[in-house]
Amino acid sequence: MTKTLAFVLYPGITPLDVVGPLQVLSTLAQIDPSFAVVVVGQDLAPLGTDTPLKLTPSHTFDQVTEPFALIVPGGTEPTLAALTNELLLSWIRKAARSAEVIGSVCTGSLILGAAGLLDGRQATTHWGFRDLLAKFGATPVAERWVEAGPVLTAAGVSAGIDMALHLVERLAGEQTARTVQLLIEYDPQPPLGGIDWRSADLDFFKPLARAMLESAMADHPALLARLTT
Amino acid sequence: MTKTLAFVLYPGITPLDVVGPLQVLSTLAQIDPSFAVVVVGQDLAPLGTDTPLKLTPSHTFDQVTEPFALIVPGGTEPTLAALTNELLLSWIRKAARSAEVIGSVCTGSLILGAAGLLDGRQATTHWGFRDLLAKFGATPVAERWVEAGPVLTAAGVSAGIDMALHLVERLAGEQTARTVQLLIEYDPQPPLGGIDWRSADLDFFKPLARAMLESAMADHPALLARLTT
C-alpha cells in the first residue's frame, strides 16, 4: 500500500519550512513509488506566506484522512495565530492517531504542542521560540532535529531539509538518502560558515517574539497568559 | 529608491530552487526596507511544480520591467521546455538590460543561456546538466555559485540558499548576512555529511537527462540537435 506523506498548509507560513522537506520527500516518491506526497489545506485556495509567493495545496483536509506521515511547517505571527485554529488542530489530531511519523519544521512544533501531541516528549523548534515548547508539556532540546516516538521535530526553517533527509534514510535506507541528496545537490556551503551560537546575539529577538505573541493572541488572553508567564 | 529583487516563475519548476533564495532575500527585505521582493510570472494563475505544490506569482511580467535583480529557478524537463518559451526569454532579456544582478539556480542558468546572457561567461548549473552550458557559449564551472560580471549562477536546487546568502553579504554587508542566516537558522547538518563527489555515481543520470531533453524538445529538433551533438 502506498504510504502518503502529507504536508500541512495554513495561512502565512514560512515557505522554506514546507518546500525544503517537500522537495526531499517528493524526490523520494519519484524514486520509490511506495511513497506518495500530498499537500493538504482546508480548501484549495492559494495561501499567502511570509514572502510574496502564494502556495496552493493539492488536497483538502477531508481528502486525506489517514496519512502515513504528516509534516507541519511553521512561521512567525501567523503560526502563533494558528495555535487557536481549531479546524487545523482537529485535522492534525485525527491524522496523528494513525500516522507513523508526526513531523514539524520550525514553529510548526508549537502547533503539534497545541494539538496535544508533545506532552512528555522531547522536541525542538526555531531557536527564538524554543522556551514555549515547555508550555505544551514538552522538553525543549537544542538539536537540528529530535525524534521522540512518532514525533519528529526540526529546528528553524532550513532545518527541515536535514530532518527530511534523515527521514528518507529511516524509511528507505542510506543509499536512497544519498541519491536524493545528490539529486537536490545538497552539499551546503554557507558563505560565512555555520552559525556560531556562542557569539550570536539572540536577545534581539525576544521583544519581537513577545510582540508577535501578543498580536497573534489579542483575542485569546488566556492562552497568551499561559504562554507568557 | 527601492531595489526590486524579482524571482521568475514558469510552469513545472523545482520549488526549492525559488523558495530557498526567496526566503533568504525576503528576510533581507524585512530587515532592510531598501529592498523589495516580487515573484513574477506571465499571469497570476497558480503554476504546477515538480511536486504536488502549486506556486502563485505576486506580479505579472508586465508589472515588473526594470528590476534591480532577477533570479531564474530551474527544474527538470519543464525547464528544458522553457528554453523555447519566447515570452519568458523576452522578459528575461529586457529585465537583464538594466539589472545589476542576473541570477539563476540549478538549470535556470540554461534559460539565461537560451536568452543569450551567458556568452563568454563562466557559469554553473545542476551537475547533471553542466555540459550543456557550453552549448550556450558559457564556460561550465563546478562551483557552488559563480559570479561573472552581473551574472550569478548557482549549482543544483539547494545551492540557491548559499548563493542568496552570498548576495545578501554583497548587497548589505556581513552583519546583515549573519542575521538573515540566523533568522532562517541555516546551520546545515546533512545527516550523511556533504556529497562525496569522488565516490558518487553520476553516470546513472546521463540517460535520464538525455530522455528529458528529447521529450522537452520533440517539437524543436534544431535546438535538440544543437544541445546533444
Side-chain angles (χ1 to χ4, degrees):
Chain A
M1 206 179 85
T2 306
K3 292 176 171 138
T4 300
L5 313 173
F7 288 85
V8 184
L9 292 193
Y10 56 91
I13 67 158
T14 293
L16 185 53
D17 284 20
V18 68
V19 171
L22 172 69
Q23 199 74 57
V24 169
L25 295 174
S26 292
T27 306
L28 167 65
Q30 283 160 18
I31 295 172
D32 183 341
S34 62
F35 296 95
V37 170
V38 295
V39 180
V40 296
Q42 189 178 324
D43 55 45
L44 298 181
L47 290 160
T49 68
D50 67 6
T51 77
L53 186 69
K54 286 182 186 162
L55 306 180
T56 304
S58 62
H59 292 73
T60 64
F61 287 155
D62 290 343
Q63 290 172 322
V64 179
T65 50
E66 295 192 328
F68 174 82
L70 62 133
I71 296 180
V72 181
T76 55
E77 189 179 316
T79 297
L80 301 174
L83 299 180
T84 57
N85 179 335
E86 286 303 330
L87 269 169
L88 173 69
L89 297 178
S90 165
W91 184 85
I92 289 171
R93 279 190 202 104
K94 273 187 229 156
R97 268 183 226 146
S98 54
E100 290 188 31
V101 179
I102 301 165
S104 66
V105 179
C106 197
T107 49
S109 58
L110 301 178
I111 294 180
L112 295 184
L117 297 166
L118 294 188
D119 202 30
R121 296 189 196 278
Q122 292 198 326
T124 197
T125 188
H126 189 283
W127 57 266
F129 295 93
R130 203 184 292 135
D131 292 349
L132 286 180
L133 286 169
K135 309 288 185 179
F136 298 107
T139 304
V141 179
E143 299 285 349
R144 195 72 176 153
W145 69 85
V146 176
E147 283 184 302
V151 176
L152 176 59
T153 55
V157 195
S158 60
I161 300 173
D162 295 324
M163 180 191 81
L165 281 168
H166 165 74
L167 186 57
V168 171
E169 187 183 1
R170 189 172 118 191
L171 298 177
E174 179 183 326
Q175 194 47 56
T176 299
R178 286 195 191 278
T179 301
V180 170
Q181 181 174 2
L182 188 62
L183 286 169
I184 66 162
E185 203 163 342
Y186 187 54
D187 190 22
Q189 294 176 33
L192 297 168
I195 295 171
D196 179 353
W197 293 102
R198 283 165 308 180
S199 73
D201 167 27
L202 305 182
D203 286 342
F204 82 97
F205 197 71
K206 282 185 183 169
L208 301 175
R210 175 71 185 229
M212 286 182 214
L213 271 170
E214 287 176 357
S215 175
M217 293 175 189
D219 296 333
H220 295 85
L223 181 58
L224 179 63
R226 184 180 144 210
L227 295 181
T228 54
T229 53
Chain B
M1 205 179 87
T2 306
K3 293 178 170 133
T4 300
L5 314 172
F7 288 86
V8 185
L9 292 193
Y10 55 91
I13 66 159
T14 293
L16 185 52
D17 284 21
V18 68
V19 171
L22 172 68
Q23 198 74 58
V24 170
L25 294 174
S26 292
T27 305
L28 167 65
Q30 283 160 20
I31 295 174
D32 183 342
S34 61
F35 296 95
V37 170
V38 295
V39 180
V40 296
Q42 189 178 324
D43 55 44
L44 298 182
L47 291 160
T49 68
D50 68 4
T51 77
L53 186 68
K54 287 182 185 159
L55 305 180
T56 305
S58 62
H59 292 74
T60 63
F61 287 154
D62 290 344
Q63 291 172 320
V64 179
T65 50
E66 295 191 326
F68 174 82
L70 61 133
I71 296 180
V72 181
T76 55
E77 190 180 314
T79 297
L80 301 174
L83 299 180
T84 57
N85 179 336
E86 286 303 330
L87 268 170
L88 174 68
L89 297 178
S90 164
W91 184 86
I92 289 172
R93 278 189 203 104
K94 271 186 233 158
R97 268 183 228 148
S98 54
E100 289 187 32
V101 179
I102 302 165
S104 66
V105 179
C106 196
T107 50
S109 58
L110 301 177
I111 294 181
L112 295 184
L117 298 166
L118 295 187
D119 202 30
R121 296 189 197 277
Q122 291 198 327
T124 195
T125 188
H126 189 282
W127 56 266
F129 295 92
R130 204 183 291 135
D131 292 350
L132 286 180
L133 285 169
K135 308 289 184 178
F136 297 107
T139 304
V141 179
E143 298 286 350
R144 194 73 176 155
W145 71 84
V146 176
E147 283 185 300
V151 176
L152 177 59
T153 56
V157 194
S158 60
I161 300 173
D162 295 325
M163 180 191 80
L165 281 169
H166 165 74
L167 186 56
V168 170
E169 187 183 0
R170 190 173 118 191
L171 297 178
E174 179 183 325
Q175 192 49 53
T176 299
R178 286 195 191 278
T179 300
V180 170
Q181 180 174 1
L182 188 62
L183 286 170
I184 67 161
E185 203 163 343
Y186 187 53
D187 190 24
Q189 295 177 33
L192 297 167
I195 295 171
D196 180 353
W197 293 102
R198 284 164 308 181
S199 72
D201 167 27
L202 305 182
D203 286 342
F204 81 97
F205 197 72
K206 283 185 182 168
L208 300 175
R210 175 72 185 226
M212 284 181 216
L213 272 170
E214 288 176 355
S215 175
M217 294 174 188
D219 296 333
H220 296 85
L223 181 59
L224 179 64
R226 183 180 144 209
L227 295 180
T228 54
T229 52

